[in-house]
Amino acid sequence: MKIGAIIAEYNPFHNGHRYQIEKFRKEWELDYILVIMSGNFTQRGEPAWMPKHLRAHTALLGGADLVIELPVYYAAGSASVFAGGAVAHLNALNCIDALCFGCEVSGSGLEHKKALEKAAGLLVNEPEEFKQELSASLKAGLSYPAARATALRHFIEDSELLSTPNNILALEYIAALKATASTIEPFLIKRKGAGYHSTRADEKFPSASAIRQSFNDYMSWDEDEYIPENVWMGVPEENRRLLINRFKKEFPVVPDDFSAMFAAAFLRSQANLTKYTDMTEDIDNRMTRRFGQYRNLTSFLMETKNKAVTYSRLSRCATHILLEQDKEILSQAKSDGYAYYARILGFRKSAAPLLSRLKKQSSIPLIGKMASCKKALKGNALRLIEADILASDYYRTVLQMKYGNKLKNEFNQEIIII
């Protein structure tokens, strides 16, 4: 049995994702493809555009065989935490042959892979020359991601290597594989179509950002069943009926839907904000100074960011405050190797042999029904899954307030099976 893995957000699942699954399966002659996917909050620090079980359903319709959830402590973490947590889970399953990810490849894929591996080696080993360049860039006032990219460019010829989010994550995936001496083989696929941040929807492979924008533009529709053809560009046909049925019932969700919740969490915790993940005294001070003029979440973050602290970093900090994500819990998780359990969101019936193999070979428990998690998990593992439950409760509450529909909680939500 040959098994491949993909780390994803599918926010939303689009034609480029389906292309990746199909190419990966064909090139590696895979029997199954397992996806580890972020839950209701994303690596950019924002709520997912649609709920995790709906996104898992679209992934299964699009060709994935099994979807498991990346715990929210990692899903809403920095790129290194996101990648490290995901790779640790794949390692713990003890049956993954290859990890596939998309890149904005310049030149040949092989040369790009070599450059990424060289850069990953610098991150893992941290030679003195690299640390000096990194320190100099930080002292110059650059944000940590920009400082690291600047330092790496002194050693890597490809200056565009770290210019896109997909390439940055690809670098983190390879670094995580190297750091854990993983036997999983990295497999790069050149990203098709629009760039990560493109908002153009008039093409076959638009970005997730473009698809979200197209749907968000039609939030005032009176006829839910009518969705103009240009909005569907980039969405696989097999997913369209599902999304039509859930539109304005379970999605879209935008960051400002959480504005009031965040404000309450900030006021409740403002005396001790630095206990939360990613928070520093500087960010604490910047947020506190500007909170007196708070109107909504996105404008607050835009007004707080500066050259050294990016919007994404602040957005993650806001999520950590909202979800009360404690630095000590994440620190303990890192010490423990990140992976405590594998929460199943959905699978294909045809993937029964894959599930059987996971049950036999995985070194972490598979969590199906949430009611069983307190028996299966203890200590920090239990704290992590309780954080997942809290994140889902907040997300579900916002959805119910926005659309007026009663939704299932984590203990009533069935695993998606197709």
Side-chain angles (χ1 to χ4, degrees), residues 287-306:
M287 283 187 162
T288 300
R289 283 198 302 270
R290 284 162 176 77
F291 192 76
Q293 291 78 45
Y294 183 88
R295 300 181 305 281
N296 58 58
L297 181 56
T298 54
S299 66
F300 173 67
L301 298 179
M302 286 298 295
E303 292 161 4
T304 305
K305 73 181 182 73
N306 65 5

mmCIF file of all heavy atoms in Angstrom, residues 287-306:
data_model
loop_
_atom_site.group_PDB
_atom_site.id
_atom_site.type_symbol
_atom_site.label_atom_id
_atom_site.label_comp_id
_atom_site.label_asym_id
_atom_site.label_seq_id
_atom_site.Cartn_x
_atom_site.Cartn_y
_atom_site.Cartn_z
ATOM 1 N N MET A 287 -1.155 47.068 20.793
ATOM 2 C CA MET A 287 -2.587 46.757 20.805
ATOM 3 C C MET A 287 -3.324 47.562 21.873
ATOM 4 O O MET A 287 -4.403 48.113 21.629
ATOM 5 C CB MET A 287 -2.798 45.256 21.044
ATOM 6 C CG MET A 287 -2.545 44.380 19.829
ATOM 7 S SD MET A 287 -3.005 42.651 20.156
ATOM 8 C CE MET A 287 -3.129 42.007 18.482
ATOM 9 N N THR A 288 -2.747 47.645 23.053
ATOM 10 C CA THR A 288 -3.398 48.340 24.160
ATOM 11 C C THR A 288 -3.561 49.828 23.870
ATOM 12 O O THR A 288 -4.606 50.425 24.159
ATOM 13 C CB THR A 288 -2.595 48.132 25.456
ATOM 14 O OG1 THR A 288 -2.519 46.726 25.745
ATOM 15 C CG2 THR A 288 -3.247 48.840 26.624
ATOM 16 N N ARG A 289 -2.534 50.436 23.262
ATOM 17 C CA ARG A 289 -2.609 51.869 22.938
ATOM 18 C C ARG A 289 -3.730 52.168 21.944
ATOM 19 O O ARG A 289 -4.377 53.207 22.039
ATOM 20 C CB ARG A 289 -1.272 52.353 22.357
ATOM 21 C CG ARG A 289 -0.180 52.568 23.380
ATOM 22 C CD ARG A 289 0.925 53.445 22.828
ATOM 23 N NE ARG A 289 1.514 52.905 21.624
ATOM 24 C CZ ARG A 289 2.564 52.084 21.603
ATOM 25 N NH1 ARG A 289 3.131 51.699 22.752
ATOM 26 N NH2 ARG A 289 3.055 51.634 20.467
ATOM 27 N N ARG A 290 -3.949 51.258 21.013
ATOM 28 C CA ARG A 290 -4.923 51.509 19.956
ATOM 29 C C ARG A 290 -6.322 50.986 20.253
ATOM 30 O O ARG A 290 -7.264 51.267 19.516
ATOM 31 C CB ARG A 290 -4.419 50.902 18.633
ATOM 32 C CG ARG A 290 -3.314 51.753 18.018
ATOM 33 C CD ARG A 290 -2.515 50.994 16.984
ATOM 34 N NE ARG A 290 -1.549 51.879 16.358
ATOM 35 C CZ ARG A 290 -0.395 52.267 16.923
ATOM 36 N NH1 ARG A 290 -0.096 51.852 18.144
ATOM 37 N NH2 ARG A 290 0.428 53.074 16.280
ATOM 38 N N PHE A 291 -6.440 50.219 21.331
ATOM 39 C CA PHE A 291 -7.739 49.602 21.595
ATOM 40 C C PHE A 291 -8.800 50.634 21.981
ATOM 41 O O PHE A 291 -9.999 50.390 21.798
ATOM 42 C CB PHE A 291 -7.620 48.540 22.693
ATOM 43 C CG PHE A 291 -8.843 47.678 22.806
ATOM 44 C CD1 PHE A 291 -9.091 46.678 21.883
ATOM 45 C CD2 PHE A 291 -9.766 47.893 23.825
ATOM 46 C CE1 PHE A 291 -10.227 45.895 21.967
ATOM 47 C CE2 PHE A 291 -10.905 47.106 23.926
ATOM 48 C CZ PHE A 291 -11.141 46.107 22.982
ATOM 49 N N GLY A 292 -8.390 51.783 22.478
ATOM 50 C CA GLY A 292 -9.347 52.825 22.850
ATOM 51 C C GLY A 292 -10.178 53.309 21.678
ATOM 52 O O GLY A 292 -11.292 53.825 21.858
ATOM 53 N N GLN A 293 -9.663 53.151 20.446
ATOM 54 C CA GLN A 293 -10.393 53.566 19.237
ATOM 55 C C GLN A 293 -10.945 52.353 18.476
ATOM 56 O O GLN A 293 -11.272 52.435 17.291
ATOM 57 C CB GLN A 293 -9.477 54.364 18.295
ATOM 58 C CG GLN A 293 -9.081 55.744 18.819
ATOM 59 C CD GLN A 293 -7.986 55.654 19.874
ATOM 60 O OE1 GLN A 293 -7.014 54.927 19.709
ATOM 61 N NE2 GLN A 293 -8.155 56.392 20.962
ATOM 62 N N TYR A 294 -11.068 51.221 19.150
ATOM 63 C CA TYR A 294 -11.492 49.970 18.494
ATOM 64 C C TYR A 294 -12.885 50.112 17.879
ATOM 65 O O TYR A 294 -13.831 50.553 18.531
ATOM 66 C CB TYR A 294 -11.494 48.838 19.520
ATOM 67 C CG TYR A 294 -11.839 47.474 18.939
ATOM 68 C CD1 TYR A 294 -10.849 46.660 18.405
ATOM 69 C CD2 TYR A 294 -13.146 47.002 18.939
ATOM 70 C CE1 TYR A 294 -11.145 45.414 17.883
ATOM 71 C CE2 TYR A 294 -13.462 45.759 18.425
ATOM 72 C CZ TYR A 294 -12.456 44.962 17.892
ATOM 73 O OH TYR A 294 -12.769 43.727 17.376
ATOM 74 N N ARG A 295 -12.986 49.712 16.591
ATOM 75 C CA ARG A 295 -14.270 49.703 15.884
ATOM 76 C C ARG A 295 -14.624 48.299 15.411
ATOM 77 O O ARG A 295 -15.739 47.840 15.556
ATOM 78 C CB ARG A 295 -14.232 50.650 14.679
ATOM 79 C CG ARG A 295 -13.939 52.098 15.058
ATOM 80 C CD ARG A 295 -13.930 53.012 13.856
ATOM 81 N NE ARG A 295 -13.021 52.579 12.811
ATOM 82 C CZ ARG A 295 -11.709 52.759 12.820
ATOM 83 N NH1 ARG A 295 -11.127 53.364 13.853
ATOM 84 N NH2 ARG A 295 -10.955 52.353 11.809
ATOM 85 N N ASN A 296 -13.643 47.658 14.799
ATOM 86 C CA ASN A 296 -13.812 46.271 14.365
ATOM 87 C C ASN A 296 -12.435 45.635 14.274
ATOM 88 O O ASN A 296 -11.408 46.324 14.372
ATOM 89 C CB ASN A 296 -14.574 46.170 13.031
ATOM 90 C CG ASN A 296 -13.891 46.931 11.917
ATOM 91 O OD1 ASN A 296 -12.731 46.689 11.592
ATOM 92 N ND2 ASN A 296 -14.597 47.894 11.335
ATOM 93 N N LEU A 297 -12.404 44.332 14.080
ATOM 94 C CA LEU A 297 -11.142 43.605 14.170
ATOM 95 C C LEU A 297 -10.159 43.969 13.067
ATOM 96 O O LEU A 297 -8.982 44.228 13.328
ATOM 97 C CB LEU A 297 -11.429 42.099 14.157
ATOM 98 C CG LEU A 297 -10.219 41.167 14.267
ATOM 99 C CD1 LEU A 297 -9.401 41.473 15.511
ATOM 100 C CD2 LEU A 297 -10.676 39.706 14.277
ATOM 101 N N THR A 298 -10.615 43.992 11.811
ATOM 102 C CA THR A 298 -9.666 44.217 10.713
ATOM 103 C C THR A 298 -9.068 45.620 10.747
ATOM 104 O O THR A 298 -7.874 45.795 10.509
ATOM 105 C CB THR A 298 -10.325 43.950 9.345
ATOM 106 O OG1 THR A 298 -11.527 44.721 9.229
ATOM 107 C CG2 THR A 298 -10.660 42.480 9.187
ATOM 108 N N SER A 299 -9.888 46.638 11.029
ATOM 109 C CA SER A 299 -9.333 47.998 11.084
ATOM 110 C C SER A 299 -8.369 48.137 12.258
ATOM 111 O O SER A 299 -7.337 48.817 12.154
ATOM 112 C CB SER A 299 -10.461 49.035 11.193
ATOM 113 O OG SER A 299 -11.150 48.908 12.418
ATOM 114 N N PHE A 300 -8.668 47.486 13.365
ATOM 115 C CA PHE A 300 -7.781 47.509 14.533
ATOM 116 C C PHE A 300 -6.416 46.913 14.185
ATOM 117 O O PHE A 300 -5.368 47.482 14.530
ATOM 118 C CB PHE A 300 -8.442 46.727 15.669
ATOM 119 C CG PHE A 300 -7.572 46.518 16.882
ATOM 120 C CD1 PHE A 300 -7.185 47.589 17.676
ATOM 121 C CD2 PHE A 300 -7.155 45.243 17.238
ATOM 122 C CE1 PHE A 300 -6.393 47.397 18.803
ATOM 123 C CE2 PHE A 300 -6.361 45.036 18.354
ATOM 124 C CZ PHE A 300 -5.979 46.116 19.140
ATOM 125 N N LEU A 301 -6.404 45.787 13.478
ATOM 126 C CA LEU A 301 -5.139 45.152 13.107
ATOM 127 C C LEU A 301 -4.378 45.990 12.086
ATOM 128 O O LEU A 301 -3.149 46.116 12.165
ATOM 129 C CB LEU A 301 -5.394 43.747 12.561
ATOM 130 C CG LEU A 301 -6.039 42.756 13.535
ATOM 131 C CD1 LEU A 301 -6.268 41.401 12.858
ATOM 132 C CD2 LEU A 301 -5.192 42.583 14.790
ATOM 133 N N MET A 302 -5.101 46.578 11.122
ATOM 134 C CA MET A 302 -4.453 47.423 10.115
ATOM 135 C C MET A 302 -3.792 48.634 10.757
ATOM 136 O O MET A 302 -2.699 49.046 10.362
ATOM 137 C CB MET A 302 -5.479 47.877 9.074
ATOM 138 C CG MET A 302 -5.912 46.789 8.104
ATOM 139 S SD MET A 302 -4.541 46.159 7.088
ATOM 140 C CE MET A 302 -4.129 47.621 6.138
ATOM 141 N N GLU A 303 -4.430 49.197 11.762
ATOM 142 C CA GLU A 303 -3.895 50.386 12.429
ATOM 143 C C GLU A 303 -2.758 50.052 13.392
ATOM 144 O O GLU A 303 -1.981 50.935 13.769
ATOM 145 C CB GLU A 303 -5.020 51.097 13.183
ATOM 146 C CG GLU A 303 -6.052 51.724 12.258
ATOM 147 C CD GLU A 303 -7.366 52.019 12.953
ATOM 148 O OE1 GLU A 303 -7.441 51.806 14.189
ATOM 149 O OE2 GLU A 303 -8.316 52.437 12.265
ATOM 150 N N THR A 304 -2.655 48.775 13.770
ATOM 151 C CA THR A 304 -1.640 48.368 14.745
ATOM 152 C C THR A 304 -0.355 47.890 14.081
ATOM 153 O O THR A 304 0.718 47.967 14.662
ATOM 154 C CB THR A 304 -2.201 47.258 15.656
ATOM 155 O OG1 THR A 304 -3.419 47.713 16.250
ATOM 156 C CG2 THR A 304 -1.230 46.896 16.764
ATOM 157 N N LYS A 305 -0.448 47.392 12.854
ATOM 158 C CA LYS A 305 0.739 46.823 12.202
ATOM 159 C C LYS A 305 1.766 47.908 11.880
ATOM 160 O O LYS A 305 1.440 49.093 11.758
ATOM 161 C CB LYS A 305 0.346 46.090 10.914
ATOM 162 C CG LYS A 305 -0.045 46.978 9.749
ATOM 163 C CD LYS A 305 -0.440 46.126 8.555
ATOM 164 C CE LYS A 305 -0.780 46.998 7.353
ATOM 165 N NZ LYS A 305 0.407 47.600 6.743
ATOM 166 N N ASN A 306 3.009 47.486 11.743
ATOM 167 C CA ASN A 306 4.080 48.384 11.298
ATOM 168 C C ASN A 306 5.106 47.566 10.525
ATOM 169 O O ASN A 306 4.866 46.399 10.197
ATOM 170 C CB ASN A 306 4.704 49.147 12.472
ATOM 171 C CG ASN A 306 5.415 48.229 13.458
ATOM 172 O OD1 ASN A 306 5.534 47.029 13.251
ATOM 173 N ND2 ASN A 306 5.892 48.808 14.561
#
